[in-house]
Amino acid sequence: MDGDSSTTDTTQLGITGEYMTGGTYVLQAQDDDGDESFNDHEDGNGGKDHFREQDIYLPIANVARIMKNAIPQTGKIAKDAKECVQECVSEFISFITSEASERCHQEKRKTINGEDILFAMSTLGFDMYVEPLKLYLQKFREAMKGEKGINPVTVSEGLGEELTDDSFTGQLPAGLITADGQQQNVMVYTTSYQQIPGVQQIQFS
Amino acid sequence: MSERNMEEKVEQATNSKNVSLPMSRVRLIMKSSPDVSCINQDALFLTTKATELFVQHLALSSYKNGSGKETNTLSYSDLANAAEETETFQFLTDILPKKILARDYLKSLEEMEKDDDNL
């Protein structure tokens, strides 16, 4: 080595070039920032692969709001209590789901349905939720059905002319929920329209 | 929370299709359970709605059972107490351990050692 006391040559410093450039730096879910951003935003996190599955929580803002509405107006909630309920909620969901899933397996079924969930609640000591939930479900189903009725296929030209493929590029009814693994309501569109003799043409104007 | 309270809440619900928790996130949590393949739409809705009820139930129960010193604020220890005392919430005891001060813990350790010595 020469007499130069300072050097920025990485090899002489005993550090490999790779280390100095940083390489990849993965933020673990244990990191506070990672957890908070995932838990507070409703959108999916871009870094999905990096969190542990047991750390999935519902957004704290939503949880806190529900808590606040449940207790008397003058009441306050400590921050660690909110975080704690967030964890309890994930625990609750897993608790119900695994019970429902087990029953499904016993009956050799692959899809967990509403009945399984209600049964699980009953079994696990939440039977006071069952009746209200049935009512909520009824209203939910009615609301979903209603939406499908309101949004028929939009037709750009009047009836009587052959409907082209273009007229079917319009929106699907808003009530359709498509997600992996769930039952999908499939609507089949035909591309031909037969004019029925004797039936008056309906004017859409 | 009595059953009648529950029914009142249902009647009060104006827009009952609306859930205040993101169903997609609920679905993620459900899917993280082992051996869960498909979840039907009803099941997802019911779970989400039940979770809302659960939050209300837990918050209110814990608040009412409050320590009495600071009844205005719902604290962690109120939740931990509710978990221990209410049968329905006992599944939470593992994730809601009661917190004690370090010096109290060390004291009780010392006492346990003393007992061992006396035997």
Side-chain angles (χ1 to χ4, degrees):
Chain A
M1 289 202 197
D2 41 42
D4 192 10
S5 55
S6 69
T7 178
T8 51
D9 187 345
T10 56
T11 54
Q12 289 194 341
L13 289 171
I15 302 163
T16 65
E18 278 169 50
Y19 182 86
M20 287 301 282
T21 55
T24 51
Y25 210 68
V26 173
L27 283 175
Q28 294 301 316
Q30 287 92 332
D31 182 18
D32 276 338
D33 292 336
D35 254 324
E36 267 182 64
S37 63
F38 180 64
N39 292 331
D40 286 350
H41 296 314
E42 292 201 30
D43 320 321
N45 190 6
K48 258 188 191 183
D49 298 327
H50 301 312
F51 60 78
R52 295 176 303 164
E53 278 183 343
Q54 58 262 44
D55 285 346
I56 310 174
Y57 302 134
L58 294 179
I60 196 166
N62 301 49
V63 173
R65 199 186 316 134
I66 301 175
M67 289 174 76
K68 213 156 184 289
N69 291 337
I71 63 174
Q73 251 191 338
T74 51
K76 294 181 193 156
I77 307 171
K79 184 165 189 253
D80 59 353
K82 291 183 199 173
E83 288 165 357
C84 166
V85 171
Q86 216 187 358
E87 292 172 28
C88 291
V89 156
S90 293
E91 189 71 19
F92 171 76
I93 295 173
S94 300
F95 194 41
I96 299 287
T97 307
S98 56
E99 182 69 28
S101 173
E102 216 184 279
R103 183 158 181 256
C104 243
H105 277 294
Q106 279 173 8
E107 301 189 357
K108 307 268 166 77
R109 281 181 288 116
K110 284 191 181 163
T111 308
I112 300 180
N113 62 31
E115 281 303 309
D116 296 326
I117 298 289
L118 292 175
F119 187 80
M121 296 219 197
S122 227
T123 311
L124 298 172
F126 295 99
D127 45 62
M128 69 292 250
Y129 296 177
V130 171
E131 288 310 313
L133 284 175
K134 285 185 184 169
L135 290 171
Y136 274 122
L137 182 63
Q138 210 171 43
K139 294 189 179 181
F140 176 71
R141 280 179 175 161
E142 282 167 23
M144 298 299 287
K145 251 191 258 171
E147 271 193 7
K148 283 184 200 160
I150 288 168
N151 297 329
V153 176
T154 53
V155 180
S156 47
E157 296 157 68
L159 286 178
E161 296 166 21
E162 200 171 338
L163 298 171
T164 62
D165 281 352
D166 289 337
S167 26
F168 294 106
T169 54
Q171 35 340 55
L172 288 173
L176 263 184
I177 295 178
T178 56
D180 300 332
Q182 291 190 6
Q183 285 174 353
Q184 299 184 7
N185 297 306
V186 178
M187 287 186 149
V188 179
Y189 299 106
T190 58
T191 52
S192 67
Y193 176 77
Q194 284 174 334
Q195 179 123 33
I196 302 164
V199 176
Q200 232 184 1
Q201 263 193 11
I202 305 164
Q203 295 298 325
F204 289 100
S205 52
Chain B
M1 225 176 184
S2 69
E3 228 169 271
R4 191 155 54 93
N5 277 347
M6 286 291 187
E7 281 167 14
E8 281 169 27
K9 281 197 187 295
V10 172
E11 280 160 29
Q12 280 163 25
T14 44
N15 187 357
S16 31
K17 187 170 82 85
N18 210 4
V19 286
S20 24
L21 296 167
M23 291 212 265
S24 53
R25 191 72 68 83
V26 174
R27 202 168 149 272
L28 252 178
I29 301 174
M30 291 176 85
K31 282 245 166 190
S32 72
S33 267
D35 296 331
V36 168
S37 44
C38 302
I39 303 164
N40 124 336
Q41 193 179 315
D42 283 353
L44 179 59
F45 172 78
L46 285 172
T47 307
T48 308
K49 209 61 191 173
T51 306
E52 275 178 44
L53 296 178
F54 173 73
V55 172
Q56 292 169 342
H57 187 184
L58 179 60
L60 193 55
S61 282
S62 309
Y63 185 81
K64 282 185 175 170
N65 263 356
S67 49
K69 291 177 225 166
E70 304 162 4
T71 37
N72 242 10
T73 309
L74 174 61
S75 66
Y76 173 90
S77 53
D78 295 333
L79 293 167
N81 285 332
E84 204 176 284
E85 291 160 23
T86 314
E87 206 182 306
T88 321
F89 297 136
Q90 263 166 15
F91 72 99
L92 296 171
T93 45
D94 281 343
I95 63 171
L96 286 177
K98 285 196 179 180
K99 291 181 183 168
I100 62 172
L101 291 170
R103 63 165 177 265
D104 292 341
Y105 177 67
L106 292 171
K107 246 196 241 172
S108 57
L109 258 187
E110 280 174 24
E111 280 163 22
M112 282 199 298
E113 282 167 18
K114 270 193 214 153
D115 289 341
D116 285 343
D117 290 339
N118 288 340
L119 287 170

